[in-house]
Amino acid sequence: MTLQEFISGMPKAENHIHQDGATSPESALYLAERHGMTLPFSTPEEAAQRFQYRNLGDFIRMIDATNAVIQDEEDIAYLVTELGRDAATQNIRYREVMLSCDFHERTGISLDAQMRGFIQGREAAKTQFGVEFACIPELDRTSPPERNLSLVNRLEPWRKDANIVAVGLDSAEAGYPAHRHKEAFRRARELGYYLTAHAGEAYGPVSIWDSLDEAGCGRIDHGVRAVEDPELVNRLDHIFLTVCPLSNLALKVFPDMEHHSIKQLMDAGVPVSINSDDPPFFCGDLNENYEAVVRTFRLAKPELHALAKSAFTNSYAPQTMVNGWIQELDDYFSENDFIL
């Protein structure tokens, strides 16, 4: 079969996708009409023209303007359900979904309402589409440290029903080091959450070192600029990187896929997975990210198998579930082949 067909049919996990970053132009326009609001675009075609960025700051301004139409619990439930529908079309079995809790609180949606909406959407994703979701609330790097500490302390009542597995860190990287939020991360670790952080994308290796050594993170989201520091690459031999290739190109981290660092990281033994980040905003879903990497670097079938497997084995999912998905993935690779 063709590579596109093979990747489309391949069972997959995704470790790095944002709930609000997955808001399609169609969904945003629907919510804007529902609430009598306006957007920076009036059609999906116009959105595609507007979703062009010079840097991370450009992207953050556009995604914030788009997601201002998310106004209540019902909207979040609708969008999370859509995430499940989309996952099923791509044969994604499991998604670790990141939530911009502080952004939504600042726009008037309480944390409790956000969690209720996520739980409704998560249940719909499971019952309607057979997709499992885990939740990763994200601390905003630009927020006051005490605000993020408060957020961590308010998560516990929702932990089980929302399947909160980790606490993350995102937003503007330069000038907002992870160690500013050391106390929030300490509290999250104390409560038993895993820790992860967006780092090494808009800012260099120092951001990754800071997230590991000062904030205590055990996983890094992006991390692609680690290759600028050979010592750091050696340190990452047991640190999982959730890489988002097309996102990195859209934000000008690399000029093109040929210059992307993912193959260099793989060859150095760094555990990585492929993810879509904010697919509508970067014009590439998970399948398209896989295809871009495989075509560019001419990955052999065992390399693709290892990449797909890594997303399951390094996930926060229970081992019993991971074992079942891995068996399904192994069977798929033994029974199917592709031509580049």
Side-chain angles (χ1 to χ4, degrees):
M1 64 179 73
T2 67
L3 175 64
Q4 185 179 39
E5 291 169 336
F6 186 91
I7 289 173
S8 178
M10 183 175 75
K12 291 175 286 289
E14 186 161 28
N15 315 108
H16 184 158
I17 186 166
H18 296 264
Q19 174 260 309
D20 48 0
T23 305
S24 69
E26 292 84 356
S27 292
L29 289 165
Y30 164 74
L31 294 179
E33 182 178 4
R34 178 172 179 253
H35 296 297
M37 302 174 70
T38 58
L39 283 164
F41 51 86
S42 56
T43 66
E45 293 73 24
E46 187 180 350
Q49 296 173 3
R50 297 297 303 274
F51 292 173
Q52 304 290 327
Y53 323 105
R54 292 167 298 177
N55 50 43
L56 181 62
D58 271 1
F59 161 68
I60 290 173
R61 284 187 287 274
M62 177 54 70
I63 196 172
D64 284 356
T66 301
N67 285 312
V69 300
I70 303 173
Q71 292 286 298
D72 54 33
E73 173 183 332
E74 183 180 342
D75 293 348
I76 291 175
Y78 167 77
L79 293 172
V80 175
T81 301
E82 287 297 290
L83 261 183
R85 187 191 311 277
D86 170 75
T89 66
Q90 296 187 70
N91 284 309
I92 298 170
R93 303 292 185 262
Y94 170 75
R95 265 179 162 165
E96 291 170 340
V97 183
M98 299 166 174
L99 271 63
S100 299
C101 298
D102 190 56
F103 170 81
H104 291 305
E105 283 200 300
R106 285 185 274 113
T107 60
I109 310 175
S110 70
L111 181 65
D112 290 355
Q114 293 177 53
M115 288 294 128
R116 288 194 299 266
F118 182 84
I119 291 165
Q120 292 172 45
R122 176 177 179 251
E123 291 173 350
K126 174 62 176 175
T127 58
Q128 295 179 32
F129 308 112
V131 180
E132 293 283 352
F133 282 172
C135 178
I136 303 179
E138 297 279 285
L139 310 180
D140 188 322
R141 283 178 174 270
T142 67
S143 291
E146 60 272 17
R147 187 176 177 93
N148 282 331
L149 177 59
S150 169
L151 172 62
V152 170
N153 282 322
R154 290 181 287 129
L155 293 175
E156 197 64 16
W158 305 103
R159 182 175 192 154
K160 181 179 179 181
D161 290 342
N163 194 25
I164 301 174
V165 292
V167 169
L169 180 72
D170 66 7
S171 194
E173 195 175 355
Y176 297 95
H179 69 252
R180 292 180 67 240
H181 308 289
K182 185 183 297 187
E183 282 305 302
F185 277 123
R186 181 199 59 76
R187 178 58 175 155
R189 187 186 308 108
E190 185 178 86
L191 291 169
Y193 297 111
Y194 292 106
L195 307 179
T196 183
H198 286 53
E201 179 197 23
Y203 208 58
V206 65
S207 180
I208 302 174
W209 283 114
D210 183 54
S211 298
L212 296 174
D213 292 343
E214 299 299 325
C217 293
R219 176 163 119 175
I220 297 294
D221 300 311
H222 294 299
V224 291
R225 290 183 59 186
V227 293
E228 298 170 18
D229 182 347
E231 183 182 352
L232 176 58
V233 173
N234 290 335
R235 166 74 182 279
L236 296 177
D237 64 347
H238 64 287
I239 301 294
F240 183 45
L241 305 186
T242 66
V243 177
C244 308
L246 294 180
S247 164
N248 299 151
L249 298 193
L251 296 182
K252 309 298 189 293
V253 179
F254 303 101
D256 50 48
M257 190 59 71
E258 286 78 8
H259 288 86
H260 199 285
S261 65
I262 187 168
K263 186 61 163 62
Q264 190 176 344
L265 291 164
M266 291 167 60
D267 291 344
V270 177
V272 303
S273 68
I274 292 178
N275 305 273
S276 63
D277 200 0
D278 305 282
F281 292 90
F282 298 133
C283 302
D285 62 18
L286 184 57
N287 288 344
E288 290 165 323
N289 273 270
Y290 266 104
E291 187 175 353
V293 171
V294 175
R295 287 196 187 281
T296 299
F297 298 105
R298 308 292 296 178
L299 297 189
K301 188 178 177 183
E303 291 176 299
L304 175 56
H305 190 186
L307 265 179
K309 193 171 184 175
S310 178
F312 287 114
T313 57
N314 290 291
S315 74
Y316 297 130
Q319 191 60 50
T320 53
M321 298 178 73
V322 169
N323 291 342
W325 291 322
I326 291 298
Q327 185 61 60
E328 183 185 8
L329 182 70
D330 290 348
D331 291 345
Y332 182 83
F333 270 78
S334 67
E335 296 166 5
N336 298 279
D337 208 344
F338 63 86
I339 300 174
L340 266 176

